[in-house]
Amino acid sequence: MLSSRVAARTTTTAVVGRPRSSSLRSLSVLSSHNNHPLFKSTTTPRGNAVLNNVIPRNNNQQQQQRTLVGLVHAIDKRVYRWAKGVLPPISKTENIALGCGTIGFDRDIFSGSPSLQHLIDTYEPKLSAEEQSYIDKEVSELCALLNDHDTVTTKDFTKEAWDYMRDNKFFGMKIPREWGGLGFSTHAVSCVLAKLATQCFDANATVAVPNSLGPGELLARYGTDDQKEYFLPRLANGTLIPCFGLTGPHSGSDATSLIGSDCVVSEHPVTGELGVVASFKKRYITLAPVAGVVGLGLNLTDPKGLLGGNGEEGFTVALLERGHEGLRMGPRHIPLSAAFMNGTVEGEDVWIPMTSILGGQERCGFGWNMFVECLAEGRGVSLPAGSIGAARSVVAGVGAYSRVRKQFKVPIAEFGGIQEAMAKAGSDGLITIAGGDVMNAIVDNHEAPMVISSVMKQNCTERGRRIVECGMDIAAGSAICRGDKNYMGNAYMSLPIAITVEGANIMTRSFQIIGQGLTRCHPHMSDLMRALQLPPSEEKEGVQIFVKQFHKIVGHGITNFFGSVAKGIGSTFSSKIRSKSAYKNGDDLLAHHEKQLLRLSNNFALTADLCFTLGGRLKFEELLMGRLADALGAIYLGYATLHHYHRRRGIEGLEALTEHAMLRLEREAQDALYAASENFPGPLGPVASTVMKMGCFPLGGITRPYADPSDVLTKEVSRLLTTPSEIRSMFEEGIYSAPEGAVHQMTDLISALPICVEADKVATSLRREKRDPTADEANLIAKADALRDALIQVDVFEHATAEEAQPGFVRPALLGTEERFASMDKTVFREAA
């Protein structure tokens, strides 16, 4: 009897304690073992866990168990094969892209649980004393050499300006010090570019390219020793101006397709040296007309196997100097009215030795890795820096102009339409600055966030366009007349260029952000996709990984669903009872809006999970992806705005401006998610739509509480931005201010603002008290009137073109008038009267 009990206990222990087989580990997509009656556990009186019905009582039960487990595994395999068939084939380039760059805070948003405190603790944008000195001195001196109107008119800088940029290493800010560069941080480069944009957008574009996607950074990371020793010192001191040739006529936003840019591995017919023969036709290449070296993106093939395993076929970067046999650089494009150098790079059957392949032969086929990891800086830092400069210019310049300019004897800053546009420009400006600060700190933290960089590029350049449009609407006639006094017109015409380059915004928004984000940043998607990419020989492992990740996705969706419901109701309640003036308490401002962002992040994560109902079709549902990109962008920039407030709190007026920005961002995210729920596509769209509405908006419209800022808040923000205040000073921090005595419209407007505001106060007091001004008051009012009269003037030209300036020139229309009068008896009214 004792022996039988021992035997039974041994059998039980063996079953419970042994490692579970692959069949028992497999979790069906259609049912979970844990919920099946065959696998429920109980506890014996001794406390030992026993799996009910698992201990075989007879051969028949054993057989039934094996049959069920086999059936479950068969179902798993069928679903795996179905999913593998539905998933569109992923190219080698796409696979590389999915593995490049880094993920961080973007993944937190996709998980539904981002943390503001983590953002604050991890990322802090800062400048060294040397970097700040460079911005104050060298950048200001360069700005003084640049006349924006003359640059656009002549379509080039002066040689003095080019030499200054070279001598002071404006093209080598990111090149390490050991190679002669400045070795500046990403945040410093962003601040330099933003300040240049406040004076001359063409200077911003010219300096941006060598410090983002130019070959300099690629060389520093991937170049051979010989390449570094030759090129980097010459790039750092400006001897060689660089450019990067990627885009072609048939590969715009899909630049890496490299259509029409082919090279074949060959041996030189005379020397036998190994190299490539390339034909290429590039366009839209910034700095190409003046570049001394071009990094050329090519699609390399090796039909004869000459690489011998050292290097691969695929995207490859070659370094060619101007004058290389067969290389043609020089012809220009003229992007709108811009003056920055942009043109073509072409060649047919150009011989390129392996020593000119960036990184040498072993880096053949490695170009996409290089390109993607460096692209984060160009897209996420350089382009948004232009919008940051535009934001500072509009708030500082147009904010002052709206007080200087009067209509109906009242400063236009008092008009409701002006106040609305000014507040929008200010809050969009804050959002752009805040997003840039966090992005810069992320890159300086040695991260390369591809999804956040795409969000920054698309969202901030679009906001930059809106900011300048608001400024143009406010400044009106003074903003459309070109000349030295116009500090906005060229920015207005340049921002559409920023919107199209490095992936047009319309494509970035509707395809790239969510397409890459869902596969790269979702906490479980990348492992699931890797399982589906395994070859048939590894199907068993693929099934196990697939099923495990699928259940994690389902669990993730359920967690986010209930989290969305709970947070949606809680956030709605807190929003409804919150006082309109609660934002004045900084702690309440942070706590309230972080709570709303966490709710929206849960909503977004749930929606991302529901996208799996589309399978491979998601790739073609660009309207849905565009709305989700809007939501993701608003959430990220919301966290960035709170991060900015935490760092800069104490500035007078920052609470009001932050509140205005946050209300707009929350409304943007809410509206984007609601539109997605109303239009969820696919065969399971109605089901997904219902689940999304139940999770995101459990009480219908009641749980969509976010609305635009109130008129009271809008007026307060506009007042702060159009009168002397600390918040105005914050925007003025990064703009170019001309030396005392120099004529410079923006500087003069900023200087005139306090005088005009004080004069208006005096005039109001005089009317109220019904008295005459004192001598000092009269002088103040007269001074303000003189400033107003001077600053509202626009430029007038005797000659608009060089042809008009020629002696004896008569405008064609006037020639026609003379010809018609020549046949008439009377040529003036008095003769006819």
Side-chain angles (χ1 to χ4, degrees), residues 122-333:
T122 308
Y123 305 112
E124 181 184 0
K126 53 189 175 182
L127 296 171
S128 68
E130 180 188 4
E131 291 168 340
Q132 186 63 63
S133 173
Y134 188 88
I135 293 167
D136 293 340
K137 181 178 183 295
E138 280 80 358
V139 178
S140 293
E141 289 176 356
L142 174 59
C143 287
L145 294 174
L146 300 170
N147 181 295
D148 192 34
H149 175 67
D150 288 349
T151 299
V152 169
T153 301
T154 61
K155 295 290 181 285
D156 203 350
F157 304 120
T158 63
K159 185 175 183 298
E160 183 183 12
W162 278 110
D163 287 344
Y164 189 90
M165 286 187 276
R166 286 172 141 147
D167 294 342
N168 290 277
K169 303 185 179 181
F170 276 83
F171 302 141
M173 288 188 288
K174 291 291 289 183
I175 293 175
R177 293 175 183 273
E178 59 264 31
W179 298 110
L182 295 176
F184 277 0
S185 67
T186 299
H187 188 52
V189 172
S190 174
C191 292
V192 169
L193 297 177
K195 186 168 183 175
L196 288 174
T198 68
Q199 172 69 356
C200 179
F201 246 83
D202 291 299
N204 163 280
T206 298
V207 174
V209 169
N211 291 288
S212 55
L213 200 58
E217 193 167 0
L218 294 175
L219 275 162
R221 293 190 189 187
Y222 305 110
T224 65
D225 291 342
D226 288 344
Q227 290 169 348
K228 291 177 181 179
E229 288 176 8
Y230 177 81
F231 285 108
L232 288 178
R234 290 166 174 79
L235 290 170
N237 64 26
T239 300
L240 291 175
I241 295 173
C243 69
F244 195 90
L246 186 64
T247 310
H250 300 287
S251 53
S253 294
D254 185 23
T256 54
S257 63
L258 295 173
I259 299 171
S261 299
D262 301 309
C263 66
V264 180
V265 180
S266 306
E267 294 177 332
H268 193 279
V270 177
T271 65
E273 180 185 7
L274 193 63
V276 299
V277 175
S279 295
F280 44 88
K281 195 172 187 178
K282 305 290 186 180
R283 67 180 183 188
Y284 310 142
I285 310 305
T286 299
L287 296 185
V290 295
V293 60
V294 56
L296 202 60
L298 300 168
N299 182 32
L300 181 144
T301 57
D302 183 23
K304 297 181 180 179
L306 297 177
L307 290 176
N310 185 16
E312 300 178 1
E313 294 184 327
F315 185 0
T316 299
V317 178
L319 292 168
L320 300 184
E321 292 181 84
R322 179 178 288 272
H324 186 100
E325 186 176 355
L327 174 65
R328 299 193 301 276
M329 294 197 299
R332 290 182 69 174
H333 302 301

Side-chain angles (χ1 to χ4, degrees), residues 10-25:
T10 304
T11 303
T12 303
T13 304
V15 172
V16 175
R18 72 185 179 200
R20 300 172 70 184
S21 68
S22 60
S23 294
L24 289 174
R25 281 201 309 270

Side-chain angles (χ1 to χ4, degrees), residues 4 238 497 562:
S4 64
I497 302 171
F562 287 108

Side-chain angles (χ1 to χ4, degrees), residues 451-523:
V451 175
I452 289 180
S453 69
S454 295
V455 167
M456 283 294 297
K457 190 273 176 182
Q458 181 266 324
N459 214 299
C460 290
T461 54
E462 178 56 37
R463 288 183 195 277
R465 174 161 61 178
R466 293 182 209 163
I467 290 166
V468 174
E469 285 175 351
C470 287
M472 295 288 289
D473 288 347
I474 295 169
S478 67
I480 64 169
C481 292
R482 295 178 63 183
D484 291 346
K485 292 180 178 293
N486 191 331
Y487 54 90
M488 262 196 310
N490 292 329
Y492 176 74
M493 289 182 278
S494 294
L495 274 162
I497 302 171
I499 281 167
T500 65
V501 300
E502 294 196 27
N505 277 6
I506 199 166
M507 294 292 289
T508 302
R509 172 184 176 269
S510 63
F511 181 76
Q512 185 176 6
I513 291 173
I514 297 302
Q516 191 171 42
L518 196 60
T519 54
R520 190 81 170 90
C521 299
H522 191 283

Side-chain angles (χ1 to χ4, degrees), residues 608-630:
D609 290 332
L610 290 171
C611 286
F612 290 112
T613 63
L614 292 166
R617 181 173 174 174
L618 175 64
K619 193 173 184 178
F620 307 101
E621 297 295 349
E622 295 177 18
L623 294 176
L624 173 65
M625 289 198 288
R627 293 180 180 117
L628 295 187
D630 292 341

Side-chain angles (χ1 to χ4, degrees), residues 54-84:
V54 172
I55 302 173
R57 297 180 181 174
N58 53 53
N59 291 336
N60 185 44
Q61 287 182 331
Q62 275 189 320
Q63 183 61 40
Q64 287 177 350
Q65 179 187 331
R66 284 195 296 268
T67 300
L68 180 60
V69 171
L71 178 62
V72 168
H73 189 68
I75 294 172
D76 290 347
K77 187 181 294 185
R78 284 182 178 275
V79 174
Y80 171 80
R81 289 175 178 174
W82 170 82
K84 197 176 180 75

